[in-house]
Amino acid sequence: MTSAPTAPLTVLVGRPRYEGANIRTWIGFKHFIYLTEEAVLQWLRDRGPGARDLFHEYGLGVEVVDCSVQLPATLEVDDEVRVEVTGDSGARLTVRMTVHRGGQDLVVLRGKVRIALVREPTATVSTAAPEHLADLVVPTVAAAGVPARADDRTIAAGQSIADVLTPVGSNTFLWSWRAPYFYCHFSDRVQHSGFVRALEEVVDRFLADRGISVGRLVRERAWIPVVSRARVQLVGTAGMEEQVHTVLTVVDVLRGVMFDARMDCYVRRGDRLVHTATARILHGYAISGGPRAGELAEFDDEVLRALSGGVE
């Protein structure tokens, strides 16, 4: 069998979705990741076969299992972006996103992505993968071998899910949600972008629960959310319509202007909480008006107390 033609660089030119312009015309972090995913799918097409043919001809489902991005500059609605993907294997892809602004190319994203080809039980065929993609084939998402390790938990008699995931003194926030079909792939499981959405929502719910909701800080302080780094990894499978128990933990506050948080997602199966995804996000605020417009906002005592939850 011959290998696919060499295509050292994949280029995708596109624009962020209008959906992501939630505060003025700035684009939220998850839409950077959506564009990254589109470019990675183009990387597959350039080498052939693409996601559709991999499913119908080989019984394989394309999954992003690890995506890590740094966002050094803003992206706005109507920006035309150039996304470059390099790498010889889908297990080690490098992504660079630029916009042409002020007469120069400005880097707005640097990223690393890993994909896997999962054997799909719902597919009607199951044949050997093309030679150049064979190293990506796995029986399940859990077998993809991302760097993060699954952290399954046991629920003892008399314990609740909250007892296990949010012990007293842990400064954690728990949110449970039903995995809808429109977050899923292949009539089966929550896809990577579904967990990206969950990361955005659990942070929003956490901030509201602590009394410093995004809406309040926008109205009262003209502070707008800024995400400078995010990573989402799949370590297991959350099935369609399962309850996904999602925990957010503030890990650290950096220089008084950013907080580093971790998300972990679990599904209950019997007396086990099976770990399905983990993520990190570096979150802060920019001042949107006045003489300090564009600068990072410094956390005051109220915000620091909210982030710590009273845990020293």
Side-chain angles (χ1 to χ4, degrees), residues 43-111:
W43 178 90
L44 269 175
R45 295 184 198 107
D46 285 352
R47 286 148 185 81
R52 178 184 59 192
D53 290 342
L54 282 167
F55 180 80
H56 288 295
E57 296 180 15
Y58 300 92
L60 297 171
V62 177
E63 285 292 0
V64 175
V65 293
D66 188 2
C67 180
S68 175
V69 297
Q70 293 182 343
L71 309 177
T74 60
L75 185 61
E76 295 198 48
V77 69
D78 292 335
D79 273 341
E80 183 177 83
V81 300
R82 174 185 170 93
V83 192
E84 299 177 350
V85 183
T86 55
D88 295 327
S89 169
R92 298 176 300 277
L93 295 175
T94 298
V95 182
R96 182 175 182 266
M97 188 183 300
T98 59
V99 297
H100 193 73
R101 189 179 295 158
Q104 61 181 347
D105 291 331
L106 179 67
V107 177
V108 297
L109 177 146
R110 296 184 182 91

Side-chain angles (χ1 to χ4, degrees), residues 286-296:
I287 300 171
S288 64
R292 295 185 58 202
E295 296 180 17
L296 285 176

Side-chain angles (χ1 to χ4, degrees), residues 89-160:
S89 169
R92 298 176 300 277
L93 295 175
T94 298
V95 182
R96 182 175 182 266
M97 188 183 300
T98 59
V99 297
H100 193 73
R101 189 179 295 158
Q104 61 181 347
D105 291 331
L106 179 67
V107 177
V108 297
L109 177 146
R110 296 184 182 91
K112 300 287 186 182
V113 180
R114 179 173 186 160
I115 62 174
L117 304 181
V118 183
R119 286 289 175 196
E120 296 299 338
T122 60
T124 56
V125 297
S126 180
T127 60
E131 183 179 352
H132 67 288
L133 299 174
D135 64 319
L136 302 177
V137 177
V138 293
T140 64
V141 168
V146 300
R149 293 185 177 182
D151 179 27
D152 294 356
R153 308 288 183 90
T154 299
I155 304 176
Q159 281 190 314
S160 67

Side-chain angles (χ1 to χ4, degrees), residues 1-252:
M1 183 180 295
T2 59
S3 298
T6 300
L9 175 66
T10 286
V11 175
L12 177 78
V13 177
R15 299 181 192 273
R17 295 294 178 90
Y18 193 36
E19 174 198 327
N22 308 126
I23 298 177
R24 297 184 61 172
T25 59
W26 292 294
I27 294 297
F29 83 95
K30 77 174 182 287
H31 287 267
F32 287 78
I33 297 178
Y34 290 174
L35 284 165
T36 297
E37 181 180 76
E38 289 300 319
V40 168
L41 290 173
Q42 187 60 48
W43 178 90
L44 269 175
R45 295 184 198 107
D46 285 352
R47 286 148 185 81
R52 178 184 59 192
D53 290 342
L54 282 167
F55 180 80
H56 288 295
E57 296 180 15
Y58 300 92
L60 297 171
V62 177
E63 285 292 0
V64 175
V65 293
D66 188 2
C67 180
S68 175
V69 297
Q70 293 182 343
L71 309 177
T74 60
L75 185 61
E76 295 198 48
V77 69
D78 292 335
D79 273 341
E80 183 177 83
V81 300
R82 174 185 170 93
V83 192
E84 299 177 350
V85 183
T86 55
D88 295 327
S89 169
R92 298 176 300 277
L93 295 175
T94 298
V95 182
R96 182 175 182 266
M97 188 183 300
T98 59
V99 297
H100 193 73
R101 189 179 295 158
Q104 61 181 347
D105 291 331
L106 179 67
V107 177
V108 297
L109 177 146
R110 296 184 182 91
K112 300 287 186 182
V113 180
R114 179 173 186 160
I115 62 174
L117 304 181
V118 183
R119 286 289 175 196
E120 296 299 338
T122 60
T124 56
V125 297
S126 180
T127 60
E131 183 179 352
H132 67 288
L133 299 174
D135 64 319
L136 302 177
V137 177
V138 293
T140 64
V141 168
V146 300
R149 293 185 177 182
D151 179 27
D152 294 356
R153 308 288 183 90
T154 299
I155 304 176
Q159 281 190 314
S160 67
I161 290 172
D163 291 335
V164 177
L165 296 180
T166 59
V168 175
S170 62
N171 189 27
T172 55
F173 171 77
L174 174 63
W175 164 54
S176 298
W177 49 283
R178 173 182 173 274
Y181 82 90
F182 46 86
Y183 279 21
C184 295
H185 269 158
F186 308 110
S187 310
D188 181 37
R189 61 185 176 273
V190 178
Q191 59 185 276
H192 184 272
S193 66
F195 287 112
V196 174
R197 295 185 195 186
L199 177 59
E200 182 179 56
E201 185 162 354
V202 75
V203 171
D204 178 70
R205 287 173 175 270
F206 163 78
L207 295 172
D209 182 74
R210 297 295 173 90
I212 53 169
S213 72
V214 170
R216 179 193 164 201
L217 295 189
V218 168
R219 291 189 301 270
E220 297 181 4
R221 306 190 186 196
W223 287 11
I224 58 174
V226 172
V227 174
S228 60
R229 188 172 69 227
R231 183 177 190 178
V232 177
Q233 301 176 80
L234 307 190
V235 295
T237 298
M240 184 186 295
E241 298 186 353
E242 284 192 293
Q243 286 290 116
V244 183
H245 306 288
T246 301
V247 176
L248 189 80
T249 306
V250 175
V251 177
D252 199 5

